[in-house]
Structure formats: structure tokens, C-alpha cells
Amino acid sequence: MSRKTDRYLVTEANSLWQVYKTVPFTKVIKNFIVIQLARYTPFLSMKNWLYRTFLRMKVGDEAAVALMVMMDVMFPEKISIGKNSVIGYNTTILAHEYLIKEYRLGNVLIGDNVMIGANATILPGVTIGDEAIVSAGTLVHKDVPAGFFVGGNPMQVIRTKDQLNEDER
């Protein structure tokens, strides 16, 4: 399962030098301020309101984004978090990647009842299915099927949905 990103080639210097040709500077400043406020606020309902109102993110009811979570500052509107999901402390969620000869943009779709552990990094173009579990410190570089438990760097399946159901018996 590869990531679903749109690729844009650049011809001049590396793509990061051309960042403000791809996203307005004022948008980045506004997003940065809102994200920093949200990173430090302990009030989940306020944090979700900030994400929905100023960043145009889709955030489900009772989603819980922990302290210090870093949302994509360039394209936060490409991030969707399902209801009752937990995003752990200091996780980074990216919807862009600027490379040498190209930049890539991709939606990040996090399902309902998902648990993402602390210090995870989620790359652009990834879908994390409903009721999936991502262990702390994981680099999520490809889709996570619904109900699966994944972890590590590189990310690997720790338990499938069927194995987790057997463990609960």
C-alpha cells in the first residue's frame, strides 16, 4: 500500500526554497500561530474548535489531541481526525513533504476510535482505518488497515484485527 500523494516537480533550487510559490506566506503565519496555541492549550474542546475554525481541519466529536501535537503548518486542511480518536503527545502529522526535485501533498485520514501513541510521525497520503492502534514512536509511512495494531520504524504490523479479537477472548 503506497501513500496517496500528488507530486509537483520543481526546476529551480530544491522545493523548500520555493515554498511560498506553493503556499501563501500569510497562511503559514496564521496556521503557525493557531497550531502553537493549540499545542499548549489543555482544553480539548477549545483545541478542536481552533482546528476546525481556523485551520479547516475535519475533527470528529470527542477527538482528543494531546499537548504538543504538531499539525502540518502548510496544509492542515488536508488532515481529518475521526470521532473519539486519541492523538498522543508530541505526534507530528504531515500533509506535505518538500524534497530536492519535487514536493508532494497528500490527505491524512485518521478514522474513528483510533489510538496513536506519543511521538508518532504520520506522513502525507496515509489513511489510518477505524479502531487502529499506532504504537508510540512509530513512523506511519503507509496505510494502516482498520483494527490493526502497528508500530516501529519502519512501521510493521504487530497484530491484525483478527489476532486482536482472539487476544480479547
Side-chain angles (χ1 to χ4, degrees):
M1 296 180 213
S2 64
R3 293 185 287 131
K4 295 165 282 308
T5 57
D6 295 320
R7 300 170 70 178
Y8 302 90
L9 297 177
V10 297
T11 55
E12 299 170 27
N14 72 67
S15 62
L16 196 52
W17 275 101
Q18 302 173 55
V19 66
Y20 298 116
K21 292 179 185 176
T22 64
V23 60
F25 179 72
T26 54
K27 176 185 175 187
V28 175
I29 295 298
K30 181 216 26 139
N31 290 352
F32 178 81
I33 292 167
V34 172
I35 289 166
Q36 291 304 315
L37 286 171
R39 289 183 81 190
Y40 288 94
T41 187
F43 306 109
L44 296 176
S45 58
M46 176 188 272
K47 188 178 301 223
N48 291 350
W49 176 79
L50 288 167
Y51 291 147
R52 290 179 191 124
T53 304
F54 297 103
L55 302 181
R56 298 185 338 213
M57 290 174 52
K58 293 173 193 74
V59 180
D61 293 337
E62 281 80 47
V65 178
L67 287 172
M68 302 309 291
V69 170
M70 187 64 194
M71 298 297 177
D72 189 290
V73 73
M74 308 289 186
F75 302 96
E77 69 276 8
K78 293 184 168 290
I79 299 170
S80 174
I81 301 171
K83 66 182 180 191
N84 203 46
S85 289
V86 175
I87 312 298
Y89 178 84
N90 207 39
T91 288
T92 300
I93 303 176
L94 297 172
H96 79 277
E97 45 191 7
Y98 287 96
L99 308 170
I100 300 293
K101 297 183 181 189
E102 69 180 353
Y103 67 95
R104 300 177 191 158
L105 304 178
N107 294 326
V108 174
L109 306 174
I110 299 170
D112 296 337
N113 302 303
V114 170
M115 174 64 215
I116 297 174
N119 293 302
T121 300
I122 302 168
L123 295 181
V126 167
T127 297
I128 301 174
D130 294 343
E131 300 182 6
I133 301 167
V134 176
S135 74
T138 298
L139 174 63
V140 181
H141 66 286
K142 59 185 175 180
D143 290 350
V144 178
F148 275 42
F149 176 23
V150 299
N153 184 2
M155 183 185 82
Q156 297 180 13
V157 173
I158 296 171
R159 293 270 190 281
T160 66
K161 185 176 184 177
D162 293 338
Q163 289 170 327
L164 285 170
N165 288 338
E166 284 179 22
D167 291 348
E168 290 177 2
R169 294 182 189 145

